[in-house]
Amino acid sequence: MEEDYIKLIFGLKLKQIRTERNLSLFGLSKLSGLSKSYLNEIEKGKKYPKPDKIAILSEKLEVPYDQMVSLKLDKNLAPIGDILKSKILKEIPLDLFGIQESTLIDIVSNAPAKVNAFISTIIEIAQNYNFSRESFYLASVRSFQQANHNYFEEIEQAVLKFAEAYQIDLEKPIDSSELKEILIEEYGYSFNETELDKHQSLDTLRSVFVPKTKTLLLANQMDDAQRTFIYAKEIAYNYLQYKERLYTFSWIKFENFDQVLNNFYASYFAGALLLPKATITAQLSTLFEKETFDEALLLKIIDGFNASPESFYQRLTNVLPKEFNLQDLFFLRFTHRAGSERFHLKKELHLAHQHSPRANETNEHYCRRWVSLKVLKTISNTKEDHVFDLQISNYPDDGMQYLVLSSATKDPFREHHYRSISIGLLMNKQLQRKLAFLKDPKIKSQDVGVTCERCAIADCKVRQAPPILLERKNKNKQTEMVVADLQKRFG
């Protein structure tokens, strides 16, 4: 068993026994003859005492020696032991969030019963919502993105240095052949575009990388934009020298947190390379200066890059906070099958914490008034390749308003399947200063909810379920009011 784990467990047990005996560190030092600093190091899991020192502690604390050295924890510490044993604190780079592992250990050891209750609650919630290890990793990365406003200057600079070193003109759309040549000449890649199509079970994968032979297997039905993005990610893994990486796109599973983080960084690098910040900032500035919204100009901007609409919207979440100081935003990616009434939220990012469309875990029905779902309905009933729309979404319950832009495209890998990507910008003074077209009367405004089950909008023609959760909440509130009145009258 890992030595660090053994040290931590012994330290937690010693501190628990000491506090149960109402002893301070000074008191235990005086009782045992061991120095206070030495005992403090033991309790923090930094040192493990020799057998003769354990014998002294066992005798003075009146605890059997075998119990002292046993790795079995009582019910107050068992969940904490599970967390430590799982090595999850080692796998997540806590320093990214400005947290030291020792700080967490101190919190745990200072109030083990309370921390145990907290951890048990988190575990129970995770189990009820089928919250997997991968989900935890992805949630950690999203929190990391939010903490940095989803902008990473070091990656932006790496892209510029790469472009200069390999003489790539960032003012022109990048072709897949240009990046393919770099992968071949610089990194020794070979390519296979037929093997994946032979395996039906791999129909959701775009690529598989075989590190032993540096072979990149590619799905044949991809367009050039998708192919270019995959090549850019492969370049990122190599240029940024990431050893821990994923070998499939889309991902199947993560072995550790570094793979999740490096996958994000590689995707960020690819987006920054294909949609250069300087170019996209200048074009957005022109769009934002117009008094009325110019849909044709926006679509021209999107089409001007060799990148998918999804990559474009993702890139907006980097550029808008940094270059336009629009930090209150969210990003959503939905999938939908034609003929179905179900919409699945597959990807989300919330730099604004007010918006919370996470009801898929509780099997609720998303509000059909969202433009994200409207464009999916539209494209599934037409033969168009790209459907765009925007609206101002008003949330009456909390008084929030968002300008939401949304695009829907076909899923190239599955027939009759579609996806929409949306970005929502909080309607505040900063947005009003940056977007001259915000008062354009042609932009539709719509009252929306989060889910039908929680929505108070009366006579909604697209409601999919009654507002049962809202009704339950209102009933509980009414009950509380009556009880309060009774207590006042008879008190």
Side-chain angles (χ1 to χ4, degrees), residues 235-399:
I235 285 174
Y237 279 127
N238 287 275
Y239 185 74
L240 300 174
Q241 299 181 357
Y242 292 147
K243 303 301 180 186
E244 291 288 347
R245 57 156 296 175
L246 301 177
Y247 296 111
T248 64
F249 182 70
S250 302
W251 63 271
I252 300 174
K253 65 176 182 177
F254 300 117
E255 298 294 341
N256 55 59
F257 184 78
D258 282 345
Q259 289 181 348
V260 187
L261 188 62
N262 291 342
N263 177 66
F264 163 70
Y265 281 147
S267 297
Y268 190 106
F269 183 100
L273 179 62
L274 302 181
L275 296 124
K277 183 179 67 173
T279 303
I280 200 171
T281 298
Q283 294 177 344
L284 288 175
S285 296
T286 301
L287 177 70
F288 292 168
E289 289 167 1
K290 290 181 171 289
E291 294 292 330
T292 57
F293 177 69
D294 192 337
E295 179 179 333
L297 177 57
L298 175 62
L299 296 179
K300 182 179 179 182
I301 293 172
I302 295 175
D303 292 338
F305 300 97
N306 188 16
S308 67
E310 180 170 353
S311 294
F312 178 82
Y313 279 72
Q314 286 269 23
R315 187 62 172 146
L316 289 182
T317 67
N318 311 135
V319 174
L320 293 179
K322 175 64 177 178
E323 299 300 321
F324 298 91
N325 197 27
L326 300 175
Q327 298 177 359
D328 294 309
L329 60 83
F330 64 81
F331 171 90
L332 304 176
R333 179 179 184 267
F334 279 95
T335 61
H336 172 65
R337 180 174 58 82
S340 169
E341 285 300 324
R342 302 301 294 180
F343 298 85
H344 302 282
L345 180 56
K346 293 296 186 180
K347 199 170 188 178
E348 58 182 321
L349 177 68
H350 303 273
L351 300 190
H353 296 282
Q354 297 95 335
H355 196 70
S356 55
R358 301 180 176 89
N360 57 330
E361 286 96 353
T362 52
N363 205 30
E364 296 176 32
H365 297 79
Y366 294 114
C367 178
R368 276 11 184 210
R369 293 169 174 239
W370 289 356
V371 68
S372 307
L373 307 190
K374 291 178 183 177
V375 291
L376 281 171
K377 275 289 190 182
T378 300
I379 197 169
S380 65
N381 293 319
T382 67
K383 295 183 178 180
E384 297 182 50
D385 294 325
H386 181 184
V387 170
F388 171 83
D389 201 357
L390 82 165
Q391 74 178 33
I392 294 174
S393 292
N394 307 309
Y395 287 82
D397 288 346
D398 55 22

Side-chain angles (χ1 to χ4, degrees), residues 163-208:
E164 182 180 5
Y166 290 89
Q167 290 297 289
I168 294 176
D169 187 354
L170 295 180
E171 295 184 0
K172 298 179 181 178
I174 298 174
D175 187 81
S176 63
S177 60
E178 190 173 5
L179 301 186
K180 183 177 183 179
E181 184 180 9
I182 294 172
L183 288 171
I184 293 171
E185 297 296 331
E186 191 72 11
Y187 301 113
Y189 273 50
S190 60
F191 298 81
N192 184 310
E193 299 189 19
T194 59
E195 185 63 33
L196 287 189
D197 294 332
K198 298 176 183 177
H199 305 275
Q200 189 173 356
S201 60
L202 303 181
D203 59 353
T204 60
L205 296 183
R206 275 70 164 166
S207 67
V208 176

Side-chain angles (χ1 to χ4, degrees), residues 2-15 25 36-50 84 90 100-107 109:
E2 189 176 341
E3 185 179 347
D4 287 346
Y5 171 72
I6 297 173
K7 290 179 183 178
L8 288 169
I9 293 302
F10 188 90
L12 286 172
K13 291 181 72 172
L14 178 61
K15 185 164 188 175
L25 270 174
K36 179 183 173 183
S37 60
Y38 178 64
L39 292 170
N40 188 43
E41 294 282 282
I42 292 173
E43 289 191 356
K44 289 187 174 182
K46 294 180 179 179
K47 288 185 178 178
Y48 191 86
K50 293 181 179 179
L84 296 174
K90 298 288 185 185
Q100 298 296 321
E101 185 179 341
S102 59
T103 304
L104 289 184
I105 298 302
D106 283 344
I107 293 171
S109 60

Side-chain angles (χ1 to χ4, degrees), residues 284-285 287-293 320 324 326 390 403 405 425-440 443:
L284 288 175
S285 296
L287 177 70
F288 292 168
E289 289 167 1
K290 290 181 171 289
E291 294 292 330
T292 57
F293 177 69
L320 293 179
F324 298 91
L326 300 175
L390 82 165
L403 175 68
L405 297 84
L425 307 172
L426 183 65
M427 300 274 286
N428 55 19
K429 290 183 179 179
Q430 178 64 11
L431 193 69
Q432 292 170 0
R433 283 194 290 265
K434 295 295 180 180
L435 274 60
F437 63 75
L438 208 54
K439 294 182 180 180
D440 185 347
I443 300 177

